[in-house]
Every structure is written in structure tokens, then in C-alpha cells.
Amino acid sequence: MVPAVTAVIGLLLTSGCASTQEPKAGAGTPSGTSPTEPAGTPLTMAQLKTLAFKTGEVPQVRGPMAVQEPMPKGSGRTFPPISDSSCEPLLDARSGEGSFAHVFQIFNWKKNIMGGSSTLASYEVGGAEQRFAALKQALATCRSYEGEGYVGKFKVTVKTEAPPQVGDEAVAFREIIPGPEQPQDRNEQFIVVRTGSAIATFSELGFGSGLSFPTELVSRQVERLRIAQRP
């Protein structure tokens, strides 16, 4: 299987396809940097696309890094709810659920055939803080869940880990997925960072002990989001 297809399937296993969200009114750990004040107007999809990495900016990547818009609402497949609803915020973070606007980007790594991805999402005032609070609460209680994705049913074990010190607040966790078709369990890392009214989610797919999304890229992407929200 070619790397790009492998990465896409890995991302779809637990998250499915996110649809375009209608604008919704918004109802940590310090990183060592000054908190970003929530912007009065959330970043648009066009702005988020310009803030994503461009081809040539990431030497670790093979081939193009197209920035993708979410599918139109109702155009993708739907799946049954996961077995533990308290774990839902973990899936919401990677799909930009409830955001004003969001975009996706797939990284086809030269040294990791499984690849990685990022989701950049913007929220109206208060929305990002609420979403992140829900995510932190979910990580305090969610230890496992079962569900169904594009490649069938799956069972996930959730393990938290120390996040990089970036943004206004950040979390990191891994999802371990047993697979009879592979000699080792799947090990998928997720890093979620809030800066102001934007949330960036990064994933790194792998097997066995697992790999980590490059911290330097996380820092660069989050800094771009921070600067873009300056008054």
C-alpha cells in the first residue's frame, strides 16, 4: 500500500470524515509563553489554509502536502456512536467538531510509511476554551472505547502522556489498537494545543512502541496560529 493511502486509512479508522460545521456561538497547563487573547472574529477557512505548512517547508515529508477542506455536511458515511460517550471529545478534537472553520493536512513522512496529520480549527469567542476543557475532562476518565470506522470495528486503549510546552494549553495521548492482521498493535499519538480561539491537533501513526509527531513542527504551526490572531 502506498504511504499516502496508508495514512488516510489510519486517520479514518477512528475518526471517519468530518463535515463542514456551521458557525456556532461559543458558550491547562501553562506553556511558558504569553496567553493569546481570544480574537473577536475567528479565523476563516481561507486564513487557516494559508497558515498550514506549504510544500517545501517540511523536509521530513515526501511529496505534496495538500491542505484539505472538510467534506460537505451529510456527504460522508456515518457510523454508530462509540461505546463510551465520555470519550467522544477525543474524536471531536481531531475532526474539528463544533468549529467555526477547520482544515486538514496529511504528512507523508519519508521515514514513517504510516504518516501523520494535522487539523487546524478556529472557534468563536469562548468556544475553543470550552472544547479544550471537555477534552481534558475526557482524558481524566476515558481509558478505552469501542467503535466502527471505514475499515471495520475497533477497540481502543487510551494512554495519556506529557505534552510539548506550547500554546496556551496542551495535552497529548496515545490510542493503542490491536489488529490481528499486524504483528504489532497500532500506536497512534495525538497532540492537541489551544492558542487563543484556535485548536491545532496533530497525529502520528505507527506500530509497537509508537512514534511522536515532530515537536518542532508543532511549535511552528502553533506560533503561526498565535500570530494570526493578534489584534
Side-chain angles (χ1 to χ4, degrees):
M1 183 176 293
V2 296
V5 175
T6 305
V8 171
I9 289 178
L11 295 172
L12 295 179
L13 176 62
T14 57
S15 60
C17 283
S19 58
T20 303
Q21 301 294 323
E22 293 296 324
K24 298 179 181 180
T29 302
S31 66
T33 60
S34 299
T36 303
E37 291 296 327
T41 302
L43 298 170
T44 65
M45 187 180 297
Q47 288 175 306
L48 291 173
K49 292 177 75 172
T50 64
L51 296 171
F53 289 118
K54 309 298 186 297
T55 300
E57 289 186 326
V58 183
Q60 303 99 314
V61 165
R62 178 192 295 108
M65 303 183 302
V67 182
Q68 305 177 35
E69 298 183 4
M71 296 176 62
K73 189 174 182 178
S75 63
R77 284 180 58 186
T78 58
F79 299 99
I82 58 176
S83 60
D84 186 347
S85 60
S86 69
C87 299
E88 190 65 38
L90 278 65
L91 280 68
D92 291 346
R94 71 197 69 169
S95 64
E97 180 66 25
S99 63
F100 176 84
H102 61 281
V103 296
F104 304 90
Q105 191 166 29
I106 292 177
F107 300 93
N108 202 13
W109 305 123
K110 294 178 181 178
K111 295 184 178 181
N112 175 19
I113 192 173
M114 292 299 292
S117 73
S118 67
T119 301
L120 308 182
S122 65
Y123 298 80
E124 294 190 312
V125 175
E129 291 87 342
Q130 290 181 358
R131 287 283 169 179
F132 210 90
L135 174 61
K136 290 193 292 187
Q137 182 176 359
L139 286 173
T141 59
C142 178
R143 295 295 174 264
S144 65
Y145 65 87
E146 297 180 17
E148 184 177 344
Y150 279 87
V151 295
K153 295 182 179 180
F154 58 85
K155 182 175 182 178
V156 170
T157 298
V158 179
K159 297 181 178 180
T160 59
E161 61 184 23
Q165 297 298 297
V166 294
D168 295 334
E169 48 186 343
V171 297
F173 61 96
R174 290 183 182 272
E175 295 192 350
I176 313 301
I177 308 169
E181 75 285 355
Q182 299 291 345
Q184 294 180 304
D185 293 343
R186 292 179 62 111
N187 188 323
E188 304 183 353
Q189 183 204 44
F190 297 90
I191 299 173
V192 189
V193 183
R194 182 185 70 80
T195 178
S197 294
I199 293 178
T201 302
F202 307 88
S203 71
E204 183 76 4
L205 312 183
F207 290 102
S209 59
L211 301 171
S212 296
F213 195 95
T215 302
E216 183 269 338
L217 293 182
V218 173
S219 298
R220 285 170 56 193
Q221 184 65 88
V222 170
E223 180 65 5
R224 289 184 180 184
L225 290 170
R226 185 188 69 83
I227 293 174
Q229 294 178 81
R230 286 176 175 171

